[in-house]
Amino acid sequence: MMRKITSPLAIVAGLAVSLSPTARAESGWGQLNMTPGVTAMSRQIYGLHMLMFWLCVAIAVVVFGVMTYSIFAFRKSRGAVPDTTLVHSTTVEIIWTILPIAILVATAVPAATTLIKTEDLRNAQLTIRVTGFQWGWNYEYLNSGVSYFSRLDRASDAARQLGSGIDVSTVPHYLLNVDNPLVVPVGTKVRVLVTASDVIHSWWVPAFGVKKDAIPGFVNEAWFNIDADKTGLYRGNCAELCGRDHGFMPIVVDARSKDDFLTWLKAKQLEQHPPAASAPSSAPAAAQ
C-alpha cells in the first residue's frame, strides 16, 4: 500500500489558493466587509472603516501578544515567583493613560472630517423627498411635479407567498427588485429628504454610503453623488424593523446619464401631467 505524502510546499500552495481574492469572493469572504461603493463619500467612509479596523487589529496583536508572553514566560513551572510587594507602576500608568488619549485624538480627526462631509448638503443639484410606508417607498422630485410609489416587484411578491410553489431561485433578484426604481443622474449631487408616513423605516443603499432613518413627523437629510462612469442599478433595503413584512421592502436606484435622466423626467412629467386639450377655435353653429 502506497502512502500519500504531502510536501510542505504543496500545503503552502493550497493555502495561498484558498486565501486568494478569487477564492474569498467565491466562498463569501469578500462579502463580510464593507464595499468601497460608487461615490467619493462612500469610499471615504470605507477608508475610515479600514483605518479603524487595522488600528484595532494592531492594538489586539500588542495586547494579546503581551498577555501570551507573560503567561508562558512567567509561569510557575519555570520558577516564576509573584512580586507581592508591587502595588503599581507610575510609568506604566502614565503610558496607558497617554497612549489611549493619543489614539483617540488621532482617530477623531479623520472621523470628524468624514462626519462633517456626510452632512454637507450645500450645492445640491437635485432634491428628492423619500417617504417610507408599510411596505414601500414614495419618491417625489421636488419642483418637478413627478411622484410615484416603489414596491416589491410582483414576481418576488408572488414567490414569497406561503404555498406558492414557485422556486425562488428562478426569480431574478428575489426580494431585491421593485416595480418602480428611483431614477437619478450620475455626476450630480442628489439631496434626499427622508421621512415616513406610519412607522420608523430606514433608507439604506450600501453602494452610496447612505443610511438614514425615516421617522414620521420628522425629516432627515442625506446626499450622494454617483461617479459619472457608474451608471446601472444599485440595491438596498429598509434597515429598520418596521413590521411583519419588513424583509419585503427593497430599494432599487437606477443611475442614468444626465441626458437619459432628463429624457426620463420629461416623459414622466407628460405621463403624470398631460397637457390639457386645446379649446375649439369657434363654437359650433347654432341649429336652425
Side-chain angles (χ1 to χ4, degrees):
M1 180 177 179
M2 181 178 290
R3 177 181 297 176
K4 184 178 179 180
I5 301 176
T6 304
S7 68
L9 183 60
I11 296 175
V12 172
L15 287 174
V17 171
S18 66
L19 294 176
S20 66
T22 302
R24 289 200 301 270
E26 292 176 352
S27 64
W29 285 105
Q31 301 176 14
L32 297 180
N33 196 7
M34 290 180 64
T35 57
V38 295
T39 68
M41 194 71 254
S42 66
R43 287 189 291 274
Q44 184 168 341
I45 293 172
Y46 175 80
L48 178 64
H49 159 73
M50 293 308 299
L51 171 66
M52 300 302 180
F53 171 77
W54 288 117
L55 180 61
C56 291
V57 169
I59 292 173
V61 168
V62 172
V63 171
F64 286 101
V66 171
M67 288 175 57
T68 303
Y69 172 76
S70 301
I71 290 172
F72 284 92
F74 301 102
R75 61 186 187 271
K76 184 177 181 180
S77 61
R78 294 190 61 180
V81 178
D83 185 355
T84 58
T85 64
L86 179 64
V87 178
H88 71 276
S89 170
T90 303
T91 303
V92 171
E93 290 186 357
I94 291 175
I95 291 174
W96 70 30
T97 300
I98 293 179
L99 189 58
I101 293 175
I103 293 173
L104 290 175
V105 171
T107 56
V109 174
T113 301
T114 303
L115 183 61
I116 291 171
K117 285 186 178 181
T118 62
E119 300 296 331
D120 184 5
L121 298 158
R122 295 173 295 177
N123 304 318
Q125 299 163 282
L126 176 66
T127 300
I128 303 172
R129 181 160 59 195
V130 178
T131 304
F133 63 92
Q134 293 178 310
W135 286 269
W137 303 95
N138 175 258
Y139 299 122
E140 179 182 355
Y141 295 74
L142 301 187
N143 303 321
S144 298
V146 172
S147 176
Y148 57 90
F149 289 94
S150 177
R151 298 181 179 86
L152 181 68
D153 73 303
R154 296 296 159 256
S156 292
D157 192 43
R160 77 177 181 89
Q161 304 299 327
L162 186 64
S164 67
I166 300 175
D167 182 1
V168 297
S169 64
T170 64
V171 180
H173 302 289
Y174 176 61
L175 299 184
L176 291 174
N177 215 355
V178 298
D179 50 5
N180 297 304
L182 173 66
V183 181
V184 297
V186 298
T188 302
K189 187 170 184 177
V190 180
R191 174 177 173 237
V192 289
L193 308 177
V194 185
T195 187
S197 61
D198 39 40
V199 299
I200 297 177
H201 302 279
S202 187
W203 199 79
W204 176 47
V205 182
F208 300 166
V210 173
K211 178 181 177 293
K212 280 291 179 179
D213 283 348
I215 304 172
F218 190 83
V219 177
N220 276 323
E221 295 178 302
W223 69 273
F224 58 86
N225 190 340
I226 305 171
D227 296 341
D229 60 339
K230 293 297 192 298
T231 57
L233 297 178
Y234 300 98
R235 305 178 190 277
N237 298 91
C238 173
E240 188 69 47
L241 187 59
C242 56
R244 65 180 180 87
D245 281 349
H246 158 72
F248 312 121
M249 194 173 168
I251 300 163
V252 178
V253 180
D254 183 359
R256 304 186 181 187
S257 67
K258 293 182 180 180
D259 290 340
D260 287 348
F261 171 76
L262 289 176
T263 300
W264 172 87
L265 187 63
K266 290 177 181 178
K268 206 70 174 176
Q269 288 171 333
L270 288 175
E271 174 189 327
Q272 297 187 0
H273 306 283
S278 58
S281 58
S282 60
Q288 298 295 328

